[in-house]
């Protein structure tokens, strides 16, 4: 039995990290035959972060080939503000190759998705099931309202967890000078620290923000409002 309201009220507030959020939601959805789920978010720099319960081989292949750019599930989810059900057996020929490839890696053939847009990117929530297309259609219809509640609550919680990044005052200060175009050497002279120490602060901030480089790190810090107090 699916009890999305209880999950949102009783469990969701106590979840403290995204991995725990994924596990908790998968456990909840497993009660109605959902065997896989994912959450993908992008930012203004074009980077994305994906968490999913799908086979690791598929996730590696997906990441290595940047399949989020052509993933039909994401585009399906953008068609309306609520979850859109999908089946690999009922897709158009253009998407069939993608679904067949995913299925060969063990990704279930039926599911639903919704994609929310924001000022910094998208938040795409999807779930999938190994049951037959007809059985999934009945399950999806029976639990549609609760599934939409869960999807929205999940994306909001994921956004909140992402925004809870805590940078130290020094990390913020170093990022602020980087945002103003200063090199590590120039920043070291301004703050009377060694260049190695400046780079250490930068690496710490990049790790916390899951950033790929200095520019990406500054952009994410600005998007999350982490540098406002230093303006």
């Amino acid at each position: 039995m699916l009890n999305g309201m209880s999950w949102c009220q009783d469990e969701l507030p106590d979840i403290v990290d995204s991995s725990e959020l994924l596990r908790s939601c998968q456990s909840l959805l497993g009660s109605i035959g959902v065997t896989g789920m994912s959450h993908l978010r992008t930012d203004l720099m074009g980077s994305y972060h994906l968490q999913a319960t799908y086979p690791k081989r598929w996730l590696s292949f997906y990441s290595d080939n940047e399949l989020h750019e052509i993933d039909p599930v994401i585009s399906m989810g953008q068609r309306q503000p609520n979850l859109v059900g999908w089946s690999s057996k009922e897709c158009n020929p253009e998407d069939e190759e993608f679904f067949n490839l995913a299925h060969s890696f063990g990704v279930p053939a039926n599911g639903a998705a919704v994609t929310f847009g924001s000022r910094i990117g998208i938040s795409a929530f999807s779930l999938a099931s190994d049951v037959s297309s007809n059985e999934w259609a009945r399950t999806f219809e029976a639990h549609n309202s609760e599934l939409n509640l869960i999807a929205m609550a999940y994306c909001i919680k994921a956004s909140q967890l992402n925004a809870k990044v805590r940078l130290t005052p020094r990390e913020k200060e170093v990022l602020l000078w980087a945002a103003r175009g200063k090199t590590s050497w120039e920043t070291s002279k301004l703050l009377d620290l060694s260049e190695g120490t400046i780079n250490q602060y930068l690496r710490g901030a990049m790790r916390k923000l899951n950033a790929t480089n200095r520019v990406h790190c500054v952009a994410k810090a600005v998007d999350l409002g982490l540098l406002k107090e230093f303006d």
Side-chain angles (χ1 to χ4, degrees):
M1 178 180 178
L2 182 64
N3 196 334
M5 181 63 73
S6 176
W7 181 75
C8 291
Q9 293 178 339
D10 301 333
E11 292 191 40
L12 204 57
D14 295 327
I15 293 176
V16 297
D17 65 61
S18 55
S19 295
E20 182 186 359
L21 176 62
L22 182 71
R23 289 192 298 269
S24 176
C25 192
Q26 176 63 75
S27 177
L28 171 72
L29 297 176
S31 64
I32 60 168
V34 171
T35 52
M37 62 165 291
S38 71
H39 177 248
L40 180 146
R41 55 181 170 79
T42 66
D43 59 34
L44 289 174
M45 296 297 295
S47 295
Y48 76 97
H49 180 69
L50 172 66
Q51 283 195 300
T53 62
Y54 298 134
K56 291 183 178 179
R57 287 195 314 120
W58 169 246
L59 297 180
S60 296
F61 185 84
Y62 189 100
S63 176
D64 291 344
N65 292 278
E66 299 184 336
L67 296 184
H68 66 286
E69 296 182 352
I70 61 169
D71 191 340
V73 172
I74 295 177
S75 58
M76 286 176 185
Q78 292 175 313
R79 293 176 185 170
Q80 54 180 291
N82 298 314
L83 280 164
V84 176
W86 55 266
S87 171
S88 62
K89 295 181 179 180
E90 300 173 359
C91 63
N92 59 53
E94 186 177 329
D95 297 332
E96 186 175 3
E97 184 177 353
F98 182 96
F99 280 116
N100 287 340
L101 177 63
H103 195 54
S104 72
F105 278 85
V107 178
N110 306 292
V114 62
T115 301
F116 301 105
S118 72
R119 64 183 180 84
I120 63 172
I122 64 169
S123 183
F125 176 92
S126 69
L127 48 88
S129 177
D130 284 316
V131 301
S132 68
S133 297
N134 289 337
E135 185 177 350
W136 172 246
R138 290 193 294 270
T139 298
F140 182 58
E141 182 178 1
H143 300 285
N144 189 275
S145 295
E146 278 194 292
L147 287 173
N148 275 290
L149 171 65
I150 292 166
M152 181 171 292
Y154 188 106
C155 290
I156 291 173
K157 183 68 175 184
S159 177
Q160 292 172 342
L161 292 173
N162 183 48
K164 286 182 178 178
V165 175
R166 297 288 186 265
L167 298 179
T168 67
R170 276 299 194 193
E171 287 170 341
K172 292 180 181 180
E173 195 171 15
V174 168
L175 285 181
L176 179 63
W177 286 114
R180 292 172 176 170
K182 300 299 183 182
T183 64
S184 292
W185 181 84
E186 291 171 327
T187 302
S188 72
K189 299 306 176 185
L190 289 165
L191 300 182
D192 195 25
L193 298 169
S194 71
E195 186 175 358
T197 298
I198 297 301
N199 287 330
Q200 186 176 359
Y201 285 128
L202 281 171
R203 287 193 294 270
M206 288 169 60
R207 183 175 60 255
K208 291 177 181 179
L209 290 168
N210 194 32
T212 55
N213 54 47
R214 176 194 302 248
V215 175
H216 186 202
C217 191
V218 168
K220 295 193 78 168
V222 171
D223 284 339
L224 294 173
L226 299 176
L227 303 183
K228 287 182 179 180
E229 65 190 86
F230 284 84
D231 290 346

